[in-house]
Amino acid sequence: PFLMAHGVGLHAHVEPAKEIFRTLKDQWGEFLSKQDQSFRAHYTIQNKVQSSVAQKCFEDIRSGPDRFEGSTGTVTGLSLYLYDRGYWTLKHTYPFSTEKVMENTQLVDGKDEEEWPSLGASTASK
């Protein structure tokens, strides 16, 4: 776990996602905030809380009886959200094809990340 400004997060190690991020950044770089210019895959556990609350959560996850010891999962696509004055609104979901699903940082069908389909302007809009 790691402390954020007003919350707690968990690092996510998803190698194929780095190439997807680079592709999207190349296309949408001018629209990204400073915070979104670099790739830091993570799960936000807690956000926008007082520092004492975040510190307690961090300690519980790191060394408490319910400490987080890792997990695995499957990424089935990307979702595009609009952030507007503290609220997130889902704008669009871009599912991956069933044979190109990322599972446990590898593709189910065994293809290397260089073989992922392009997320070019034809499949995503600014």
Side-chain angles (χ1 to χ4, degrees), residues 50-89:
Q50 295 178 354
S51 60
S52 61
V53 174
Q55 185 66 44
K56 170 82 169 90
C57 178
F58 174 75
E59 293 299 329
D60 287 348
I61 292 171
R62 187 173 68 172
S63 59
D66 296 321
R67 73 180 165 271
F68 180 77
E69 296 183 11
S71 69
T72 59
T74 301
V75 177
T76 60
L78 299 174
S79 296
L80 176 64
Y81 285 82
L82 173 66
Y83 183 74
D84 183 23
R85 298 171 292 215
Y87 296 95
W88 290 97
T89 303

Side-chain angles (χ1 to χ4, degrees), residues 11-60:
H11 296 285
H13 303 286
V14 186
E15 290 302 316
K18 290 180 182 177
E19 182 60 31
I20 293 171
F21 173 79
R22 283 192 287 272
T23 300
L24 294 173
K25 182 180 175 184
D26 287 348
Q27 292 178 20
W28 298 347
E30 66 186 277
F31 301 102
L32 297 177
S33 67
K34 182 178 179 181
Q35 161 181 322
D36 295 329
Q37 291 288 323
S38 63
F39 183 77
R40 294 177 311 277
H42 67 279
Y43 299 97
T44 300
I45 302 301
Q46 185 179 58
N47 197 15
K48 300 189 188 325
V49 298
Q50 295 178 354
S51 60
S52 61
V53 174
Q55 185 66 44
K56 170 82 169 90
C57 178
F58 174 75
E59 293 299 329
D60 287 348

